[in-house]
Amino acid sequence: MSKLTLKAYAKINLGLDVVRRLENGYHEVKMVMQTVGIYDTLTFEKGDYGIVITTDSGELPTDENNLIYKAAKLLMEAYQVQGGVKIHLTKEIPIAAGMAGGSTDAAATFKGINELYQLGCSQQELMELGVRVGADVPYCIMGGTALAQGIGEVLTPLAVPPECLVLVAKPDINVSTKYVYEHLDATGVANHPDIDGMVEALARGDLQGIMDRMENVLETVTVEAHPIITTIKERMLELGAGRSLMSGSGPTVFGIFTDEKLAKKAYETLEQDGLAKQVFLTTFVQ
Ligand code: ATP
């Protein structure tokens, strides 16, 4: 095979809890991850030498600072790949948004190079290498609905949630994940989300039970810096969402809809009223 194209899907967090701060500065988390139908497209082509990245995004580095580069280098060195790779990224996932855009590109790179050079790595092997690029990369390799613990790399597949529509809105601000975790007082989290209850609701196929437990402890930090997040969350509820929440470290907000007409109307209204820079209407992807 000399060329292939892969989709790299974004995620949202249906629930996000921070259990404690670890001595190495990382945080122990407990999150329900869900893949959604917003994706970047990566094309992989064999090259003579080195890792060459091109992209249609004017905002991203194409050098060793791109997570695609880090993933490609790690895998190609680990398996002593002779030859190079050219990777083109078409960016659709909002950047620095709490949707794991960089991590999912890295995940697709592990899969793409594994296939391109027929390295024969199992998903488990790719996930073990992936965590060295980022805590969310193993989940992005696996995808679907999962409980993520540890620093995000201890994964348990969960029951698929009932079908619904997901309205996603990213305001015109970028949030650094590092900033949010550094400003979180992990010992002072008063109300921990009921993640176990959400896992049970998933097992029952109980969408209302899932929505009732949608909480994200990182909202306290990001919302304080960017109150527009609350404005968008409330707007989604006014427009008919069953529940709305910030994803990851933000600032992206998503709302769950069960009525397609309402969801489409909400999408159009949010597009027009200018609260968010990017708006998507999508579904869960498994
Ligand atoms: P997470 O949900 O994992 O916290 P995020 O959506 O908040 O991720 P990303 O979009 O992954 O954040 O990007 C964070 C930073 O990583 C950006 O500022 C960007 O410069 C850098 N980065 C490196 N490679 C990529 C990539 N391929 N796509 C997006 N960002 C990248």
Side-chain angles (χ1 to χ4, degrees):
M1 191 181 297
S2 61
K3 192 172 177 176
L4 83 144
T5 299
L6 291 180
K7 288 177 181 171
Y9 286 94
K11 62 87 181 159
I12 54 172
N13 298 92
L14 292 173
L16 193 160
D17 192 15
V18 176
V19 181
R20 65 192 172 109
R21 187 174 190 275
L22 302 170
E23 267 168 25
N24 59 11
Y26 279 90
H27 287 79
E28 187 183 328
V29 292
K30 195 167 176 183
M31 323 186 273
V32 175
M33 322 284 284
Q34 176 62 56
T35 305
V36 291
I38 303 168
Y39 57 86
D40 293 343
T41 307
L42 287 89
T43 304
F44 301 87
E45 212 173 330
K46 280 186 182 169
D48 294 333
Y49 180 77
I51 300 159
V52 180
I53 300 172
T54 52
T55 177
D56 66 343
S57 164
E59 292 175 56
L60 289 177
T62 51
D63 59 10
E64 67 278 2
N65 291 311
N66 197 307
L67 295 184
I68 293 173
Y69 189 99
K70 291 185 181 166
K73 186 162 187 279
L74 193 61
L75 184 61
M76 291 169 83
E77 280 181 2
Y79 287 83
Q80 295 170 349
V81 171
Q82 305 296 319
V85 64
K86 290 188 221 167
I87 305 172
H88 182 73
L89 167 68
T90 306
K91 196 78 193 166
E92 177 74 7
I93 303 171
I95 296 166
M99 302 196 81
S103 303
T104 196
D105 290 348
T109 301
F110 280 110
K111 291 184 197 169
I113 294 175
N114 185 36
E115 240 178 271
L116 192 70
Y117 275 101
Q118 300 188 340
L119 303 179
C121 297
S122 66
Q123 178 166 290
Q124 188 58 36
E125 284 166 328
L126 295 181
M127 286 163 70
E128 277 162 24
L129 277 179
V131 72
R132 289 162 60 182
V133 175
D136 282 346
V137 176
Y139 163 71
C140 292
I141 291 173
M142 184 174 110
T145 314
L147 178 68
Q149 291 171 281
I151 59 163
E153 89 293 19
V154 181
L155 297 162
T156 313
L158 296 175
V160 174
E163 269 185 35
C164 59
L165 288 128
V166 187
L167 181 61
V168 175
K170 193 216 167 206
D172 194 8
I173 39 174
N174 287 0
V175 170
S176 137
T177 306
K178 198 163 166 266
Y179 169 91
V180 176
Y181 275 101
E182 277 175 4
H183 286 78
L184 177 79
D185 174 10
T187 52
V189 176
N191 296 314
H192 287 277
D194 179 13
I195 301 290
D196 293 337
M198 181 176 284
V199 170
E200 286 164 20
L202 278 160
R204 289 195 304 273
D206 171 10
L207 187 60
Q208 190 58 50
I210 296 166
M211 288 196 289
D212 289 345
R213 292 169 181 82
M214 273 174 45
E215 278 178 83
N216 177 350
V217 296
L218 300 181
E219 277 188 348
T220 49
V221 179
T222 317
V223 163
E224 196 172 321
H226 305 289
I228 182 123
I229 292 166
T230 307
T231 311
I232 297 176
K233 280 181 67 183
E234 286 170 357
R235 190 87 182 101
M236 285 193 184
L237 294 179
E238 281 164 20
L239 293 168
R243 185 89 173 205
S244 55
L245 193 73
M246 183 181 88
S247 181
S249 49
T252 301
V253 172
F254 65 93
I256 305 289
F257 288 77
T258 46
D259 183 297
E260 195 173 339
K261 262 197 195 148
L262 267 186
K264 282 188 177 154
K265 185 87 188 82
Y267 168 77
E268 284 161 18
T269 310
L270 264 190
E271 275 249 287
Q272 282 158 14
D273 74 9
L275 283 178
K277 191 185 176 200
Q278 287 160 287
V279 187
F280 307 84
L281 184 59
T282 186
T283 56
F284 296 151
V285 168
Q286 294 307 320

